């Protein structure tokens, strides 16, 4: 009987030790929440997070909205991570303001929250932001378009293919960056559509998708058949806008198309002469840096610091074009193809 009790105690001890060992070596849970699942930008972001999480021994949980603007799914994802005991997460907010209360809940629970690409409103609602300077990215393509048109820029007819009616920060920053670069007076710095410049044909929403880009450009062509510049929020929207131009017989180079993202399909469209110039950004780098920052925070409690002189960590943007303009730094599509994603 005594021997039985001894063996039982040993077995119990092994079970307890096994549980303790399992707890001791359990990987830290981290999260990545993107706007949507299939957009190549977010696919590359997820790849960067997965590779870095594997390297660092993190347990990565990924989530995405059902559509661009799906705040409810992002709220549910954050609540899931809080319940799971995550150390932190990176998020590309679908609604820069509406997500803030749930982010506060996560931070109050001790999670490190890093914003990627699309700044929250206010920006200090998160612990850190890793992003392209979206205003600068827009400014680069605006400067290029103005320089390409030369004296004709003063009589331009510009179609704006924007993102969404709620105008998340990435949307208005890119749009207004382009306006500044092109020489259009900006009114409310956090809202587009209030301009009084006669060169603007109008703003139409695309959802950041190719079909949305085509529909938006079809609408703008009705308003402004003599359009000669097409600004686009991203390259899928640009591809759709080009299809609308092609259907209208305006794919002859008479309309300058500019965009932002720098994905491989977009860079190929630069090489093929469809897109005149695009500002390339680096989603894999953003997500990998976020995983490193969360891992460091988990070990040391140290939070990431922004780029000097900025409120965020700038992950860079580069103009890609095969028709360079004096005074606007750029790389060609061959170099852009080496750095592209998707």
């Amino acid at each position: 009987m005594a021997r039985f009790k001894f063996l039982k105690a040993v077995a119990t001890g092994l079970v307890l030790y096994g549980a303790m060992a399992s707890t001791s070596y359990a990987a830290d849970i981290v999260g990545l929440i993107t706007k949507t699942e299939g957009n190549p930008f977010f696919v590359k972001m997820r790849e960067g997070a997965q590779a870095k999480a594997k390297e660092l021994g993190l347990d990565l949980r990924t989530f995405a909205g059902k559509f661009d603007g799906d705040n409810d799914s992002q709220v549910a994802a954050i609540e899931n991570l809080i319940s799971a005991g995550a150390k932190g997460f990176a998020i590309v907010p679908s609604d820069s303001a509406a997500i803030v209360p749930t982010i506060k809940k996560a931070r109050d629970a001790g999670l490190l929250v890093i914003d990627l690409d699309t700044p929250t409103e206010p920006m200090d609602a998160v612990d850190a932001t890793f992003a392209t300077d979206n205003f600068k990215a827009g400014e680069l393509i605006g400067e290029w378009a103005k320089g390409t048109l030369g004296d004709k820029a003063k009589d331009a007819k510009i179609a704006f293919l924007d993102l969404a009616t709620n105008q998340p920060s990435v949307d208005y920053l890119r749009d207004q960056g382009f306006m500044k670069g092109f020489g259009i007076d900006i009114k409310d710095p956090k809202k587009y559509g209030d301009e009084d410049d006669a060169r603007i044909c109008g703003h139409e929403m695309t959802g950041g998708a190719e079909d949305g880009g085509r529909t938006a450009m079809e609408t703008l062509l009705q308003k402004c058949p003599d359009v000669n510049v097409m600004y686009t929020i991203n390259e899928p929207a640009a591809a759709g806008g080009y299809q609308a131009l092609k259907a209208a017989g305006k794919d002859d180079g008479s309309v300058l198309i500019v965009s932002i993202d720098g994905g491989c399909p977009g860079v190929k469209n630069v090489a093929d002469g469809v897109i005149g110039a695009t500002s390339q950004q680096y989603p894999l780098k953003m997500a990998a840096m976020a995983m490193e920052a969360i891992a460091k925070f988990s070990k040391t409690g140290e939070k990431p610091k922004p780029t000097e002189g900025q409120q965020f960590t700038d992950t860079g943007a580069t103009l890609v074009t095969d028709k360079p303009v004096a005074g606007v730094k750029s790389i060609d599509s061959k170099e852009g193809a080496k750095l592209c994603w998707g």
Side-chain angles (χ1 to χ4, degrees):
M1 186 63 138
R3 184 171 179 272
F4 173 76
K5 288 181 178 178
F6 172 76
L7 290 172
K8 184 178 179 182
V10 170
T12 302
L14 287 171
V15 171
L16 287 171
Y17 176 78
M20 290 169 64
S22 175
T23 301
S24 298
Y25 291 96
D28 286 339
I29 297 170
V30 298
L32 174 69
I33 307 168
T34 55
K35 291 181 181 180
T36 57
E37 188 80 24
N39 185 307
F41 187 83
F42 302 132
V43 170
K44 183 56 66 173
M45 192 175 274
R46 192 161 55 249
E47 289 175 4
Q50 288 168 338
K52 185 57 67 172
K54 183 177 180 181
E55 176 189 325
L56 297 173
L58 302 172
D59 178 2
L60 176 65
R61 315 276 176 92
T62 63
F63 307 84
K66 298 179 180 68
F67 53 88
D68 205 318
D70 182 8
N71 185 65
D72 290 344
S73 290
Q74 294 197 325
V75 167
I78 294 173
E79 290 176 344
N80 181 299
L81 288 166
I82 294 171
S83 298
K87 298 297 183 181
F89 61 88
I91 182 169
V92 188
S94 271
D95 191 311
S96 305
I99 198 65
V100 167
T102 312
I103 286 175
K104 182 179 185 302
K105 183 178 176 182
R107 294 178 72 192
D108 288 346
L111 282 73
L112 183 77
V113 181
I114 297 177
D115 177 278
L116 301 181
D117 182 57
T118 303
T120 53
E121 297 177 21
M123 189 176 281
D124 62 4
V126 293
D127 293 294
T129 298
F130 294 168
T132 302
D133 185 337
N134 281 298
F135 189 89
K136 181 63 178 177
E139 192 174 11
L140 285 170
I141 56 174
E143 289 174 348
W144 179 86
K146 181 180 180 181
T148 298
L149 288 176
D151 291 340
K152 294 179 180 178
K154 67 181 185 300
D155 299 314
K157 294 295 181 181
I158 309 167
F160 283 81
L161 274 60
D162 292 302
L163 181 60
T165 53
N166 66 333
Q167 297 191 23
S169 53
V170 65
D171 195 9
Y172 68 71
L173 286 168
R174 291 181 179 190
D175 178 299
Q176 296 192 333
F178 171 86
M179 286 195 279
K180 182 184 177 186
F182 199 84
I184 295 170
D185 184 36
I186 297 170
K187 303 299 183 183
D188 185 337
K190 292 189 175 182
K191 175 185 174 183
Y192 56 75
D194 57 353
E195 311 85 22
D196 55 10
D197 195 307
R199 293 176 291 180
I200 296 176
C201 293
H203 300 264
E204 291 293 329
M205 306 306 125
T206 67
E210 186 168 337
D211 57 347
R214 177 165 186 155
T215 301
M217 195 58 201
E218 286 171 348
T219 299
L220 287 167
L221 281 168
Q222 294 295 316
K223 298 179 182 177
C224 196
D226 56 345
V227 62
N228 64 349
V229 179
M230 186 175 80
Y231 157 87
T232 61
I233 180 68
N234 64 9
E235 291 153 359
Y242 176 75
Q243 290 304 316
L245 290 173
K246 187 175 182 179
K250 294 181 73 66
D251 58 334
D252 55 359
S254 61
V255 180
L256 283 181
I257 302 176
V258 293
S259 198
I260 298 173
D261 267 356
C264 295
V267 172
K268 184 178 185 304
N269 275 337
V270 172
D272 292 344
V274 173
I275 296 175
T278 190
S279 285
Q280 187 171 62
Q281 49 184 343
Y282 307 102
L284 188 147
K285 179 181 178 182
M286 288 181 203
M289 288 172 61
M291 296 301 105
E292 289 176 337
I294 296 169
K296 185 174 183 179
F297 172 77
S298 177
K299 291 178 181 177
T300 69
E302 183 179 343
K303 297 180 180 182
K305 295 178 174 60
T307 300
E308 186 176 354
Q310 299 275 25
Q311 289 182 281
F312 63 96
T313 299
D314 188 354
T315 55
T318 307
L319 186 74
V320 180
T321 183
D322 288 336
K323 298 176 181 178
V325 167
V328 185
K329 187 177 179 181
S330 65
I331 59 174
D332 63 22
S333 61
K334 289 183 180 178
E335 188 64 26
K338 297 176 186 177
L339 302 170
C340 70
W341 43 266

